């Protein structure tokens, strides 16, 4: 077979608000073409967030079809694509019938709060009523965020799910598993697999040996029989069974935040990246050393790039609401027409006029882990207008990142001197400048911000049996970046952060317990 000049690699990027299929050059890492479609969210009750697994799957198929049509229009053949990777919104929980292939319930999204009472019950049964009781095993606190709690809720509250479990028809997976199973054949043929990064977000995998853990499964009363097999992040899991990429190997899977770490080439201990999407996620590479956090950040798997490659760990700070706050300004308040308009809105004023916005719509994640916190706007006066509110929303993203970074610096003992960033919101120059100002360190934005999909493509192209992407000799290619430098004094920075902390205090313990119950 003749060698393809400049082989291509595809990446499915299935996020919370959209699905995309992107095609990269494996030699230059340049984005060749892509297609994107939005995903609808459903809010059946206050605090509940769902998506339709069939819509998610169909959106992937549509994006693959459209992107390969784009490729043909550019004079390239879909045959030039040698493999594909998958990156996905993590923790979002899907259960389906392995006989019919149909979902047993809508996907419960990572932001969903319906499990608040389940979390209370689980914490109550720990010896010291300690939300961190399971951290030594899985690296995570008991909270609404992670998949095991959502899966337990489904088994406890859905008759259809419970019956399917009893009859050995139920399969569980995060979004990567649902897509892979369907793309490799579905009922009777599909590969029921996940990778170590997604498995590390379930609370069911032992973070030390990378296996489903009996103690953890028993704690949540979840049978191992419904769980996918855990594999590395870079190997051939199966082949696409239909569509324009039929017979192509699927050879990389990474949760979206870990994919961005790989895409930013944060392969050295101490390197970190912050992704600004629906939420905001800061990952700090700790190498093969598993660091147990004492400050509320998470211990997670960064990647394992091959069956026989070492596992690399990370500390992660997770912020629930970042881009979702801008979406709220657009959809709920109607003060902007589109998300990018927030930059112009916020730039119309020089400051927030003392207004602080804590967007705790789904409680607060790192470092608080309080699901009873609620959104709070402090410091309103008759002078306050929509411009101040828009700017306060952007500052909220920056303050939350500062809280996470402060916690991470304590855990690692090595303060970051600059922050690499990516994700949809980083196109907002005002946000990036505010971030540099409120952190007091340089913020570095690559010119190509599609690092999440790039990371999945890199993992896929690096897999044994494919090997069209060389990660062992990345070379010293200069990545073109924009650098945002702090422009305010430390005293002002700390003063504003102190006011933010006061606003956060006012948001805590707001929801009544019965409001959090299902």
């Amino acid at each position: 077979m003749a060698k393809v000049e400049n082989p291509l690699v595809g990446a499915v990027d299935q996020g919370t608000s959209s699905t995309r299929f992107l095609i990269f050059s494996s030699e230059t890492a340049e984005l060749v073409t892509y297609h994107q479609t939005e995903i609808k969210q459903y809010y059946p009750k206050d605090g509940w967030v769902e998506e339709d697994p069939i819509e998610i799957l169909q959106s992937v198929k549509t994006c693959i079809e459209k992107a390969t049509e784009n490729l043909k229009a550019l004079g390239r053949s879909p045959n030039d694509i040698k493999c594909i990777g998958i990156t996905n919104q993590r923790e979002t929980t899907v259960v389906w019938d392995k006989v019919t292939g149909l979902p047993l319930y809508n996907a419960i999204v990572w932001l969903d709060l319906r499990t608040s009472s389940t979390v209370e019950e689980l914490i109550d049964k720990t010896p010291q009523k300690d939300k961190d009781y399971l951290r030594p095993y899985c690296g995570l606190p008991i909270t609404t965020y992670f998949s095991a709690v959502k899966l337990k809720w489904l088994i406890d509250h859905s008759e259809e799910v419970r019956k399917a479990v009893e009859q050995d028809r139920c399969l569980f997976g995060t979004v990567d598993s649902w897509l892979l199973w369907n793309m490799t054949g579905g009922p009777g043929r599909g590969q029921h697999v996940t990778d170590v990064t997604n498995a590390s977000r379930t609370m069911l995998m032992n973070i030390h040996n990378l296996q489903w853990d009996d103690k953890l499964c028993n704690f949540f009363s979840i049978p191992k029989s419904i769980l996918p097999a855990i594999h590395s992040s870079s190997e051939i899991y199966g082949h696409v069974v239909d569509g324009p990429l039929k017979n192509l190997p699927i050879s990389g899977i990474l949760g979206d935040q870990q994919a961005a770490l790989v895409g930013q080439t944060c392969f050295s201990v101490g390197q970190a990246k912050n992704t600004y999407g629906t939420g905001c996620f800061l990952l700090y590479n700790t190498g093969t050393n598993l660091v147990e956090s004492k400050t509320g950040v998470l211990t997670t798997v960064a990647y394992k790039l091959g069956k026989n490659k070492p596992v690399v760990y990370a500390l992660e700070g997770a912020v629930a609401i970042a881009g979702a706050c801008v979406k709220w300004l657009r959809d709920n308040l109607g003060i902007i027409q589109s998300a990018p308009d927030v930059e112009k809105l916020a730039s119309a004023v020089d400051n927030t006029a003392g207004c602080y916005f804590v967007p705790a719509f789904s409680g607060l994640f790192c470092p608080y882990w309080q699901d009873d916190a609620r959104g709070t706007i402090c410091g309103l006066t008759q002078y306050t207008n929509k411009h101040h509110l828009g700017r306060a929303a952007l500052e909220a993203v920056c303050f939350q990142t500062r809280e996470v970074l402060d916690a991470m610096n304590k855990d690692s003992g090595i303060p970051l001197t600059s922050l690499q960033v990516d994700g949809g919101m980083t196109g907002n120059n005002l946000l990036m400048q505010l971030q540099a100002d409120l952190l007091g360190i340089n913020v570095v934005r690559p010119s190509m911000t599609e690092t999440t999909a790039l990371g999945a493509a890199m993992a896929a192209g690096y897999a044994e049996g494919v090997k069209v992407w060389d990660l062992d000799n990345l070379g010293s290619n200069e990545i073109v970046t924009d650098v945002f430098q702090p422009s305010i004094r430390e005293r002002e920075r700390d003063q504003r952060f102190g006011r933010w902390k006061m606003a956060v205090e006012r948001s805590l313990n707001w929801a009544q317990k019965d409001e959090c119950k299902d």
Side-chain angles (χ1 to χ4, degrees):
M1 190 172 77
K3 187 186 175 210
V4 174
E5 289 300 316
N6 190 8
L8 306 176
V9 178
V12 173
D13 181 357
Q14 205 300 297
T16 314
S17 56
S18 70
T19 297
R20 298 182 300 162
F21 185 70
L22 304 92
I23 301 169
F24 295 92
S25 159
S26 67
E27 292 182 356
T28 65
E30 287 175 306
L31 177 61
V32 178
T33 188
Y34 76 99
H35 186 78
Q36 174 171 338
T37 181
E38 286 207 359
I39 293 290
K40 185 172 170 59
Q41 273 118 37
Y42 300 90
Y43 306 97
K45 293 185 184 179
D46 186 29
W48 292 32
V49 190
E50 297 177 2
E51 293 180 351
D52 178 0
I54 298 293
E55 184 193 346
I56 289 173
L57 177 62
Q58 190 53 52
S59 71
V60 169
K61 291 181 176 179
T62 300
C63 287
I64 288 174
E65 284 170 12
K66 300 286 190 188
T68 50
E69 284 171 18
N70 295 348
L71 191 65
K72 288 177 192 170
L74 293 171
R76 295 290 302 263
S77 166
N79 293 333
D80 293 348
I81 303 173
K82 295 295 133 193
C83 58
I84 62 174
I86 295 172
T87 182
N88 57 288
Q89 53 171 312
R90 305 168 307 166
E91 299 95 18
T92 295
T93 298
V94 187
V95 284
W96 67 96
D97 188 317
K98 68 182 178 187
V99 179
T100 66
L102 295 174
L104 296 163
Y105 201 92
N106 268 349
I108 300 183
V109 176
W110 57 276
L111 282 165
D112 187 281
L113 282 178
R114 78 188 64 193
T115 56
S116 295
S117 57
T118 307
V119 166
E120 276 181 53
E121 289 161 16
L122 290 168
I123 292 172
D124 281 347
K125 78 175 192 179
T126 65
Q128 264 84 43
K129 298 192 181 340
D130 179 11
K131 70 174 181 284
D132 291 322
Y133 175 66
L134 299 177
R135 264 191 191 261
Y137 307 96
C138 63
L140 310 171
I142 302 168
T143 172
T144 58
Y145 183 22
F146 304 108
S147 310
V149 185
K150 303 178 198 301
L151 182 53
K152 177 172 174 52
W153 186 93
L154 283 164
I155 293 170
D156 289 349
H157 292 81
S158 166
E159 181 80 12
E160 196 174 352
V161 173
R162 187 163 59 250
K163 275 187 180 169
V165 171
E166 288 167 2
Q167 295 166 11
D168 193 31
R169 288 185 295 108
C170 179
L171 295 179
F172 152 80
T174 38
V175 171
D176 57 304
S177 298
W178 165 246
L179 294 178
L180 181 72
W181 187 81
N182 280 285
M183 292 169 76
T184 56
R189 292 176 63 191
Q191 297 297 310
H192 189 213
V193 165
T194 190
D195 91 299
V196 288
T197 65
N198 280 292
S200 76
R201 312 298 294 187
T202 61
M203 297 200 79
L204 299 173
M205 187 188 82
N206 185 304
I207 200 161
H208 303 275
N209 66 20
L210 313 182
Q211 300 296 318
W212 300 124
D213 188 273
D214 288 331
K215 180 184 173 79
L216 294 170
C217 289
N218 291 338
F219 180 84
F220 290 103
S221 305
I222 289 168
K224 274 188 177 179
S225 59
I226 70 174
L227 305 178
I230 301 174
H231 287 236
S232 79
S233 310
S234 178
E235 61 181 86
I236 296 174
Y237 313 104
H239 294 76
V240 181
V241 295
D242 56 18
L245 301 182
K246 187 175 179 181
N247 298 325
L248 210 63
I250 301 173
S251 51
I253 298 177
L254 286 160
D256 54 7
Q257 304 313 320
Q258 286 89 338
L261 192 75
V262 170
Q264 287 262 34
T265 65
C266 293
F267 294 130
S268 301
V269 175
Q271 286 188 297
K273 68 86 209 173
N274 199 29
T275 299
Y276 299 75
T278 300
C280 201
F281 302 88
L282 201 160
L283 264 71
Y284 179 105
N285 186 328
T286 62
T288 53
N289 181 28
L290 191 156
V291 176
E292 290 190 18
S293 172
K294 302 284 185 270
T295 62
V297 299
L298 310 171
T299 304
T300 198
V301 173
Y303 52 82
K304 186 179 191 295
L305 294 175
K307 288 181 187 178
N308 301 314
K309 297 285 185 178
V311 61
V312 172
Y313 293 100
L315 286 171
E316 174 175 335
V319 169
I321 303 294
C325 186
V326 175
K327 192 174 176 223
W328 182 79
L329 293 178
R330 181 193 72 188
D331 297 346
N332 295 44
L333 298 191
I335 61 174
I336 50 174
Q337 293 297 307
S338 68
D341 292 348
V342 74
E343 182 171 9
K344 186 178 177 185
L345 177 80
S347 297
V349 289
D350 293 330
N351 55 57
T352 67
C355 175
Y356 288 80
F357 183 179
V358 183
F361 302 152
S362 295
L364 286 172
F365 283 13
C366 291
Y368 300 96
W369 297 112
Q370 287 210 209
D371 58 25
D372 59 3
R374 286 296 177 270
T376 306
I377 301 173
C378 296
L380 294 176
T381 67
Q382 285 184 307
Y383 177 66
T384 310
N385 61 38
K386 64 184 180 181
H387 303 290
H388 298 118
L389 192 57
R391 196 174 182 100
L394 295 184
E395 287 197 356
V397 176
C398 302
F399 283 128
Q400 289 179 102
T401 298
R402 159 100 187 242
E403 296 222 56
V404 166
L405 195 60
D406 283 356
M408 213 166 267
N409 285 340
K410 281 181 194 163
D411 278 332
S412 69
I414 309 165
L416 281 181
T417 53
S418 69
L419 182 65
Q420 291 173 241
V421 299
D422 57 68
M425 290 188 84
T426 58
N428 184 323
N429 288 333
L430 175 61
L431 175 70
M432 295 295 93
Q433 186 58 54
L434 288 170
Q435 188 67 88
D437 288 346
L438 296 173
L439 288 180
I441 60 176
N442 287 355
V443 169
V444 182
R445 178 182 66 191
S447 58
M448 205 291 285
T449 56
E450 299 291 356
T451 51
T452 300
L454 178 61
M458 289 162 68
Y462 183 64
E464 286 295 332
V466 179
K467 282 294 181 197
V468 293
W469 208 303
D470 186 2
L471 298 185
D472 298 315
N473 301 290
L474 283 172
S476 57
N477 290 346
E478 275 298 307
I479 296 169
V480 180
T481 59
D482 299 312
V483 179
F484 297 84
Q485 299 177 325
S487 63
I488 64 172
R489 297 189 177 190
E490 188 173 0
R491 184 179 172 193
E492 181 189 343
R493 179 180 307 124
D494 291 344
Q495 197 172 36
R496 285 160 69 181
F497 186 57
R499 300 288 284 179
W500 160 263
K501 297 282 272 188
M502 287 169 62
V504 169
E505 284 298 319
R506 285 156 172 78
S507 78
L508 301 177
N509 307 307
W510 187 265
Q512 299 297 311
K513 290 301 177 191
D514 57 348
E515 286 177 34
C516 294
K517 290 194 188 296
D518 37 71

